[in-house]
Amino acid sequence: MKGRHAATAHSLKADGRTYSETVSHADSRGSKQQGRPEIPLGSLHVVCIGMVYAAMFGLILWRIYWTPAPLPLAAPATQFSEARALQHVCKLAGDIGERQVSTPALDTAAQYIKDSALQLAEQASKRHDLQIQVRQEQVTGSVLMGLLGLELANVYQNLTNIVLTMTPKGCDATPAVLVNAHYDSAVGSPGASDCASPVGVMLETARTFIANDDIHLTAPVIFLFNGAEETLSQAAHGFMAHDKEASRVGAFINLESTGPGGPDILFQASGGWTSEVYARAAFHARGQVFGQDLMDAQIIPADTDYRMFSYDYYGTLPGVDVAFLLDSSAYHTHEDAPHRIRPGTVQAMGDNVVGAIPAFAEHLRKQAAKGSPPAPQASSNSVYFDLCGLWMISYTASTAKWLHSAMLPLVLLFPPPGVRRAAMGKVAGMCLLSMLSCLALPAAVGGLRAMLSGQQLIWFSNHLAGGFIYTPAAIVGAVLPCRLAQRQQMTINSQVAGSCLFNAILAVILVVVGGKVAYSHAFWSAAAYISLWIVPEVDSALGLAAALGCAVFPATSTLTGILLLATHLMEKMSMTGAPPGLLLWGPDAIMGALFGAGTFVYGGFIVPWLAHCVRPNFKLFSRGLMLVSAASAIAASLSLETYTAKTPKRLFIQHIIRASNTDQPYSVFAAASSDATPVDVVLTGLTLTPAEMNGREWLPMYPMHDMIRGKVFQAPPPDPNLFAFPPTLSLISRTPHGRVPTGRGKGGRCISGETERLDLQLTLPQPGVGVLNVTGNIQGWSFSDPMPKPYTKSGPVQRVARYGGNAGSEVWSFWVDLQCGEAVSVDIAASFLTKTSALQSFVDQTPDWIASSAMTTFQSSWTFSQAGQCDGIMYY
């Protein structure tokens, strides 16, 4: 053979088989022996790769579920005790039970927390260096919010916050640390983990500070127990907007939960210093910045009080968001009960908070002493992650920018020995194919399984099944494009270098778009680069050993996040919605793609090594893995149930009451699923008569209303006298507004082209929550300034306001401004947690693997015409 890139054919033996391998010399320049043949690695080396990766996987999995030993009731008073914290949890979630805005149970919970705080204040009376104040506040207000790409005015009235302020002697002028948790629960849930356990943590933490005078607080600490988070963080906004102590807060720690399984993870942070201080001070610090990327992108339809405090959103403060993450299948269901809280998880959060609060206080004291201004918003981002749950690493956005971008110029300017830039760039393109096929193949397996079996989300009740269905297919997808590199005579050095370049490029792209998970790709790039300099020879067992050694750090630093994210999303998939156009098999395909993404990131530059080691038996290897995926999919479909009593399906049920032309109101049941499994599956065996849908049944769920699928059925009439009267909207006055008096005509009427104000009053039979959808060319309203962006798919302009309140909020007065002479319509969906007997009977008939959120809803539409009066009421 002739030419610059001549190749030599070698007959080699590996694993007992003889095969021919063509090795290019083009990428061997700089090696000690030009033209030296590559030594094929075989099954034993594949086993070595598998053992190393399995060991890292096992270590990370064990560390994720590790918890400290929970301390009993008899533990020393100077230490945080999980058992003492759980006493509060059992009272709130066990004795009191469900605690929703508008219910008496929420008032009972507030009184219990206030009494507990007053007992702590009494205990603190012996401390002359510590002052304790306890107060209850009622907040009323509104905030303009955005969620899932939609805007709304979030309006609240008579919500209750309990505030415990702990001020060390001589620290009155120092900015305070705010520690927050909410004590309300979601509809249909006693809320043991969400969020009674963080409330218990706060009460026990305050008690520990009082009992232990060795804990030196250098700034005030404000414990905020807020009474309305499930209604889109209304009470937290009330504190920030109206509380007299809000202006003295310097930083915050928000405590949350998405499940009773722990561990507590820092997943959002604002202010470059907050995550660093938490990482240093929390005794069992864990953090994963992928959560912040997900929350910022609003990929998961969820939110926390963090947004009301953080200056990255609606607040003015730096701070952190820490939450229990796992066992989300119980989240917002009746299964979120005290018995399900995993032992040790509350102890871990308590230890972390006890360590973090004094450190936050000390940082604020030092800032105040220096006269340092608050950090600008531009420097608010930080990158943080933990290694095996043992060490948490955090660094600022400015450090992350150059650290995550440094590998690209380094690789391009100083390529690894024996590797040409052209070959490296070519392999980088193949790595892109590897990533895409790694996502596509498991997605295809998942979608195909769901289509053929007719069962969606089969892995919801058994996560191990999901791993066996998706992971083998993802591995095959990752190594397939490596065969192209091998057929084009690319050495393993070139393939590893190409992976190095690809990850460097990916890291830079993520830096540019603001993705904080760029660290994982930057670390993989650096590890590949180092491995090629350690052993610059062509492939050998020593080269593989060097590669595996270099892979340990990037693999362990990313695997914790991958496992937490995969588990969390599998558990949360039952409440992430089923938007229009999403096919029934869509979530299974999406989960397959997510498994593929995790496999690709965890594999890093070891993927080319794996493909290299299985060259003699590639077909057998790939077919064997695909057989495992197929067999697992078949076995899961035949033997598993998607939902169980421990992993229930969420079902939203409304008894909707509408008016009719007769004296008898028209009533229907509306049942909807929040995942891809059709509601028909749930209602099998129930005798129900379908009714006509009007498309507005799920307006109370705004802005999630487009993410759920449901059906409507005929229902018995509501119980007489259960509600004294239906919600009523009254026009109090209609007066000229704007350029007055020149805008007035005869008789005080406004002139065409000017504006007029309609003063309206919504009267409810009892406190509740609901939605007002205002249709018309309105110029302003009292709910928010500015108004939300219109919610209009087609037709007239519509704007939405959500409302919620406790006792005393039966009357809502508001105004809208509109052009003189124009009409306006107001659609009302007023929901109450008081169940009709028919609704209760419906709920009782559902199987035990259903978690119901049920409410009674009055729907109506009110139109106010040009003449200034109500043209009538239409219940729809």
Side-chain angles (χ1 to χ4, degrees), residues 239-256:
F239 174 85
M240 291 296 291
H242 306 293
D243 190 87
K244 62 182 181 181
E245 291 191 330
S247 60
R248 68 183 296 203
V249 176
F252 70 92
I253 299 173
N254 185 55
L255 303 180
E256 256 292 358

PDB file of all heavy atoms in Angstrom, residues 239-256:
ATOM      1  N   PHE A 239     -44.813  38.193  53.860  1.00  0.00           N
ATOM      2  CA  PHE A 239     -43.760  38.578  54.806  1.00  0.00           C
ATOM      3  C   PHE A 239     -42.814  39.586  54.179  1.00  0.00           C
ATOM      4  O   PHE A 239     -42.512  40.628  54.770  1.00  0.00           O
ATOM      5  CB  PHE A 239     -42.987  37.339  55.260  1.00  0.00           C
ATOM      6  CG  PHE A 239     -41.804  37.659  56.126  1.00  0.00           C
ATOM      7  CD1 PHE A 239     -41.954  37.842  57.494  1.00  0.00           C
ATOM      8  CD2 PHE A 239     -40.522  37.795  55.576  1.00  0.00           C
ATOM      9  CE1 PHE A 239     -40.849  38.153  58.300  1.00  0.00           C
ATOM     10  CE2 PHE A 239     -39.425  38.103  56.366  1.00  0.00           C
ATOM     11  CZ  PHE A 239     -39.590  38.287  57.734  1.00  0.00           C
ATOM     12  N   MET A 240     -42.326  39.285  52.981  1.00  0.00           N
ATOM     13  CA  MET A 240     -41.357  40.169  52.339  1.00  0.00           C
ATOM     14  C   MET A 240     -41.954  41.536  52.023  1.00  0.00           C
ATOM     15  O   MET A 240     -41.254  42.552  52.083  1.00  0.00           O
ATOM     16  CB  MET A 240     -40.825  39.518  51.065  1.00  0.00           C
ATOM     17  CG  MET A 240     -39.948  38.304  51.301  1.00  0.00           C
ATOM     18  SD  MET A 240     -38.425  38.704  52.194  1.00  0.00           S
ATOM     19  CE  MET A 240     -37.552  39.662  50.955  1.00  0.00           C
ATOM     20  N   ALA A 241     -43.235  41.581  51.697  1.00  0.00           N
ATOM     21  CA  ALA A 241     -43.845  42.838  51.265  1.00  0.00           C
ATOM     22  C   ALA A 241     -44.372  43.679  52.415  1.00  0.00           C
ATOM     23  O   ALA A 241     -44.435  44.914  52.310  1.00  0.00           O
ATOM     24  CB  ALA A 241     -44.992  42.544  50.289  1.00  0.00           C
ATOM     25  N   HIS A 242     -44.741  43.020  53.541  1.00  0.00           N
ATOM     26  CA  HIS A 242     -45.478  43.763  54.561  1.00  0.00           C
ATOM     27  C   HIS A 242     -44.929  43.641  55.975  1.00  0.00           C
ATOM     28  O   HIS A 242     -45.326  44.417  56.848  1.00  0.00           O
ATOM     29  CB  HIS A 242     -46.945  43.317  54.568  1.00  0.00           C
ATOM     30  CG  HIS A 242     -47.615  43.406  53.234  1.00  0.00           C
ATOM     31  ND1 HIS A 242     -47.869  44.601  52.594  1.00  0.00           N
ATOM     32  CD2 HIS A 242     -48.071  42.431  52.388  1.00  0.00           C
ATOM     33  CE1 HIS A 242     -48.463  44.376  51.431  1.00  0.00           C
ATOM     34  NE2 HIS A 242     -48.584  43.067  51.274  1.00  0.00           N
ATOM     35  N   ASP A 243     -44.047  42.681  56.243  1.00  0.00           N
ATOM     36  CA  ASP A 243     -43.593  42.505  57.621  1.00  0.00           C
ATOM     37  C   ASP A 243     -42.589  43.589  58.007  1.00  0.00           C
ATOM     38  O   ASP A 243     -41.723  43.971  57.205  1.00  0.00           O
ATOM     39  CB  ASP A 243     -42.956  41.122  57.791  1.00  0.00           C
ATOM     40  CG  ASP A 243     -42.706  40.801  59.251  1.00  0.00           C
ATOM     41  OD1 ASP A 243     -43.626  40.270  59.903  1.00  0.00           O
ATOM     42  OD2 ASP A 243     -41.602  41.092  59.746  1.00  0.00           O
ATOM     43  N   LYS A 244     -42.675  44.018  59.255  1.00  0.00           N
ATOM     44  CA  LYS A 244     -41.803  45.101  59.715  1.00  0.00           C
ATOM     45  C   LYS A 244     -40.351  44.677  59.824  1.00  0.00           C
ATOM     46  O   LYS A 244     -39.451  45.527  59.820  1.00  0.00           O
ATOM     47  CB  LYS A 244     -42.303  45.603  61.070  1.00  0.00           C
ATOM     48  CG  LYS A 244     -42.265  44.543  62.178  1.00  0.00           C
ATOM     49  CD  LYS A 244     -42.810  45.086  63.492  1.00  0.00           C
ATOM     50  CE  LYS A 244     -42.746  44.043  64.605  1.00  0.00           C
ATOM     51  NZ  LYS A 244     -43.307  44.575  65.878  1.00  0.00           N
ATOM     52  N   GLU A 245     -40.087  43.369  59.940  1.00  0.00           N
ATOM     53  CA  GLU A 245     -38.717  42.897  60.083  1.00  0.00           C
ATOM     54  C   GLU A 245     -38.096  42.458  58.758  1.00  0.00           C
ATOM     55  O   GLU A 245     -36.920  42.078  58.725  1.00  0.00           O
ATOM     56  CB  GLU A 245     -38.653  41.729  61.073  1.00  0.00           C
ATOM     57  CG  GLU A 245     -38.938  42.133  62.509  1.00  0.00           C
ATOM     58  CD  GLU A 245     -38.605  41.026  63.483  1.00  0.00           C
ATOM     59  OE1 GLU A 245     -38.719  39.843  63.093  1.00  0.00           O
ATOM     60  OE2 GLU A 245     -38.234  41.331  64.622  1.00  0.00           O
ATOM     61  N   ALA A 246     -38.856  42.503  57.664  1.00  0.00           N
ATOM     62  CA  ALA A 246     -38.330  42.034  56.386  1.00  0.00           C
ATOM     63  C   ALA A 246     -37.115  42.851  55.943  1.00  0.00           C
ATOM     64  O   ALA A 246     -36.173  42.311  55.349  1.00  0.00           O
ATOM     65  CB  ALA A 246     -39.416  42.079  55.322  1.00  0.00           C
ATOM     66  N   SER A 247     -37.127  44.127  56.249  1.00  0.00           N
ATOM     67  CA  SER A 247     -36.039  44.999  55.782  1.00  0.00           C
ATOM     68  C   SER A 247     -34.722  44.744  56.501  1.00  0.00           C
ATOM     69  O   SER A 247     -33.661  45.135  56.010  1.00  0.00           O
ATOM     70  CB  SER A 247     -36.443  46.467  55.968  1.00  0.00           C
ATOM     71  OG  SER A 247     -36.695  46.740  57.340  1.00  0.00           O
ATOM     72  N   ARG A 248     -34.757  44.058  57.638  1.00  0.00           N
ATOM     73  CA  ARG A 248     -33.521  43.819  58.375  1.00  0.00           C
ATOM     74  C   ARG A 248     -32.877  42.476  58.021  1.00  0.00           C
ATOM     75  O   ARG A 248     -31.813  42.147  58.520  1.00  0.00           O
ATOM     76  CB  ARG A 248     -33.770  43.888  59.886  1.00  0.00           C
ATOM     77  CG  ARG A 248     -34.634  42.760  60.416  1.00  0.00           C
ATOM     78  CD  ARG A 248     -34.921  42.903  61.898  1.00  0.00           C
ATOM     79  NE  ARG A 248     -33.731  42.815  62.721  1.00  0.00           N
ATOM     80  CZ  ARG A 248     -33.757  42.469  64.014  1.00  0.00           C
ATOM     81  NH1 ARG A 248     -34.916  42.180  64.597  1.00  0.00           N
ATOM     82  NH2 ARG A 248     -32.650  42.416  64.707  1.00  0.00           N
ATOM     83  N   VAL A 249     -33.520  41.707  57.145  1.00  0.00           N
ATOM     84  CA  VAL A 249     -33.000  40.397  56.776  1.00  0.00           C
ATOM     85  C   VAL A 249     -31.839  40.562  55.805  1.00  0.00           C
ATOM     86  O   VAL A 249     -31.922  41.324  54.830  1.00  0.00           O
ATOM     87  CB  VAL A 249     -34.096  39.516  56.160  1.00  0.00           C
ATOM     88  CG1 VAL A 249     -33.519  38.176  55.691  1.00  0.00           C
ATOM     89  CG2 VAL A 249     -35.213  39.280  57.171  1.00  0.00           C
ATOM     90  N   GLY A 250     -30.751  39.830  56.038  1.00  0.00           N
ATOM     91  CA  GLY A 250     -29.591  39.898  55.154  1.00  0.00           C
ATOM     92  C   GLY A 250     -29.413  38.686  54.268  1.00  0.00           C
ATOM     93  O   GLY A 250     -28.779  38.766  53.216  1.00  0.00           O
ATOM     94  N   ALA A 251     -29.948  37.536  54.674  1.00  0.00           N
ATOM     95  CA  ALA A 251     -29.838  36.300  53.892  1.00  0.00           C
ATOM     96  C   ALA A 251     -30.880  35.321  54.408  1.00  0.00           C
ATOM     97  O   ALA A 251     -31.427  35.497  55.506  1.00  0.00           O
ATOM     98  CB  ALA A 251     -28.440  35.706  53.987  1.00  0.00           C
ATOM     99  N   PHE A 252     -31.151  34.289  53.628  1.00  0.00           N
ATOM    100  CA  PHE A 252     -32.199  33.344  54.034  1.00  0.00           C
ATOM    101  C   PHE A 252     -31.768  31.907  53.783  1.00  0.00           C
ATOM    102  O   PHE A 252     -30.905  31.606  52.949  1.00  0.00           O
ATOM    103  CB  PHE A 252     -33.513  33.629  53.287  1.00  0.00           C
ATOM    104  CG  PHE A 252     -33.473  33.295  51.818  1.00  0.00           C
ATOM    105  CD1 PHE A 252     -33.874  32.047  51.350  1.00  0.00           C
ATOM    106  CD2 PHE A 252     -33.044  34.236  50.886  1.00  0.00           C
ATOM    107  CE1 PHE A 252     -33.826  31.739  49.997  1.00  0.00           C
ATOM    108  CE2 PHE A 252     -32.999  33.932  49.533  1.00  0.00           C
ATOM    109  CZ  PHE A 252     -33.395  32.682  49.086  1.00  0.00           C
ATOM    110  N   ILE A 253     -32.403  31.000  54.541  1.00  0.00           N
ATOM    111  CA  ILE A 253     -32.308  29.564  54.333  1.00  0.00           C
ATOM    112  C   ILE A 253     -33.731  29.043  54.239  1.00  0.00           C
ATOM    113  O   ILE A 253     -34.486  29.128  55.219  1.00  0.00           O
ATOM    114  CB  ILE A 253     -31.560  28.861  55.481  1.00  0.00           C
ATOM    115  CG1 ILE A 253     -30.138  29.382  55.608  1.00  0.00           C
ATOM    116  CG2 ILE A 253     -31.559  27.342  55.280  1.00  0.00           C
ATOM    117  CD1 ILE A 253     -29.385  28.844  56.825  1.00  0.00           C
ATOM    118  N   ASN A 254     -34.119  28.561  53.071  1.00  0.00           N
ATOM    119  CA  ASN A 254     -35.467  28.035  52.879  1.00  0.00           C
ATOM    120  C   ASN A 254     -35.435  26.515  52.973  1.00  0.00           C
ATOM    121  O   ASN A 254     -34.616  25.858  52.326  1.00  0.00           O
ATOM    122  CB  ASN A 254     -36.023  28.457  51.521  1.00  0.00           C
ATOM    123  CG  ASN A 254     -37.464  28.023  51.340  1.00  0.00           C
ATOM    124  OD1 ASN A 254     -38.325  28.334  52.153  1.00  0.00           O
ATOM    125  ND2 ASN A 254     -37.745  27.280  50.281  1.00  0.00           N
ATOM    126  N   LEU A 255     -36.317  25.949  53.780  1.00  0.00           N
ATOM    127  CA  LEU A 255     -36.388  24.504  53.974  1.00  0.00           C
ATOM    128  C   LEU A 255     -37.645  23.967  53.313  1.00  0.00           C
ATOM    129  O   LEU A 255     -38.736  24.497  53.522  1.00  0.00           O
ATOM    130  CB  LEU A 255     -36.384  24.155  55.469  1.00  0.00           C
ATOM    131  CG  LEU A 255     -35.184  24.673  56.272  1.00  0.00           C
ATOM    132  CD1 LEU A 255     -35.302  24.248  57.730  1.00  0.00           C
ATOM    133  CD2 LEU A 255     -33.868  24.182  55.678  1.00  0.00           C
ATOM    134  N   GLU A 256     -37.467  22.917  52.519  1.00  0.00           N
ATOM    135  CA  GLU A 256     -38.590  22.364  51.747  1.00  0.00           C
ATOM    136  C   GLU A 256     -38.510  20.848  51.705  1.00  0.00           C
ATOM    137  O   GLU A 256     -37.605  20.238  52.282  1.00  0.00           O
ATOM    138  CB  GLU A 256     -38.580  22.932  50.317  1.00  0.00           C
ATOM    139  CG  GLU A 256     -39.616  23.994  50.073  1.00  0.00           C
ATOM    140  CD  GLU A 256     -41.050  23.477  50.096  1.00  0.00           C
ATOM    141  OE1 GLU A 256     -41.262  22.264  50.259  1.00  0.00           O
ATOM    142  OE2 GLU A 256     -41.968  24.282  49.939  1.00  0.00           O
TER     143      GLU A 256
END
